[in-house]
């Protein structure tokens, strides 16, 4: 809250560095997922799994899943930085979905998946720690 020259008060939105961090991290995770998707679509033999199946889907299905999820996460990251509450809620849901998806993908590319799971957990914290009315 600030005091104006003529005696009125104006409420400024509370800012949070966590939300700026969360929006940036959401865009990085989204970019990683887009890369996963493109690799799954164009280079099936890149991953370490011998058969062409991970759980129930083949690499092409996983490629589309990661590509679409990553593109949406990049847009959600921009919404988080812009201070939109809907983006925070969707960001948490997609971070959980990403972590679960990378658990299933763990056998195909373990280091990348562990890194993405860790970043998703950090993203969930960064989105839920700031006050609900805070902006990025």
């Amino acid at each position: 809250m600030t005091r104006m020259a003529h005696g009125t008060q104006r409420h400024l939105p509370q800012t949070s560095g966590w939300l700026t961090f969360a929006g940036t991290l959401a865009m990085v995770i989204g970019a990683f997922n887009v890369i996963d998707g493109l690799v799954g679509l164009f280079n099936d033999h890149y991953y370490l799994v011998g058969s062409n199946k991970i759980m129930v889907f083949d690499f092409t299905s996983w490629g589309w899943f990661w590509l679409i999820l990553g593109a949406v996460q990049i847009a959600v990251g921009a919404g988080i930085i812009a201070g939109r509450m809907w983006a925070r809620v969707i960001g948490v849901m997609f971070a959980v979905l990403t972590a679960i998806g990378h658990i299933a993908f763990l056998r195909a590319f373990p280091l990348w998946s562990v890194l993405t799971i860790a970043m998703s957990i950090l993203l969930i914290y960064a989105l839920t720690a700031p006050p609900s009315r805070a902006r990025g």
Side-chain angles (χ1 to χ4, degrees):
M1 182 167 38
T2 62
R3 189 169 294 275
M4 308 274 290
H6 49 80
T8 60
Q9 294 180 350
R10 182 178 67 170
H11 293 279
L12 296 175
Q14 185 177 7
T15 59
S16 171
W18 274 110
L19 292 178
T20 303
F21 172 74
T24 305
L25 188 59
M27 288 191 282
V28 168
I29 293 170
F32 281 6
N33 287 336
V34 166
I35 292 168
D36 279 341
L38 292 174
V39 169
L41 289 174
F42 296 119
N43 191 359
D44 285 354
H45 303 292
Y46 182 78
Y47 296 110
L48 302 175
V49 178
S51 71
N52 200 22
K53 300 259 184 200
I54 304 172
M55 293 199 55
V56 293
F57 303 122
D58 62 4
F59 285 115
T60 303
S61 299
W62 277 110
W64 282 111
F65 172 78
W66 290 124
L67 186 63
I68 292 167
L69 183 67
V72 172
Q73 280 179 311
I74 291 170
V76 166
I80 293 167
I81 291 173
R84 305 288 184 238
M85 179 54 90
W86 63 265
R88 287 175 69 178
V89 173
I90 292 173
V92 170
M93 291 187 313
F94 280 12
V96 169
L97 184 62
T98 297
I100 292 170
H102 275 281
I103 288 172
F105 212 62
L106 196 59
R107 186 171 170 215
F109 206 44
L111 185 60
W112 188 271
S113 292
V114 168
L115 175 67
T116 306
I117 291 168
M119 288 191 313
S120 296
I121 292 168
L122 185 59
L123 176 59
I124 292 168
Y125 178 77
L127 288 172
T128 57
S132 62
R133 294 182 185 216
R135 293 182 55 119

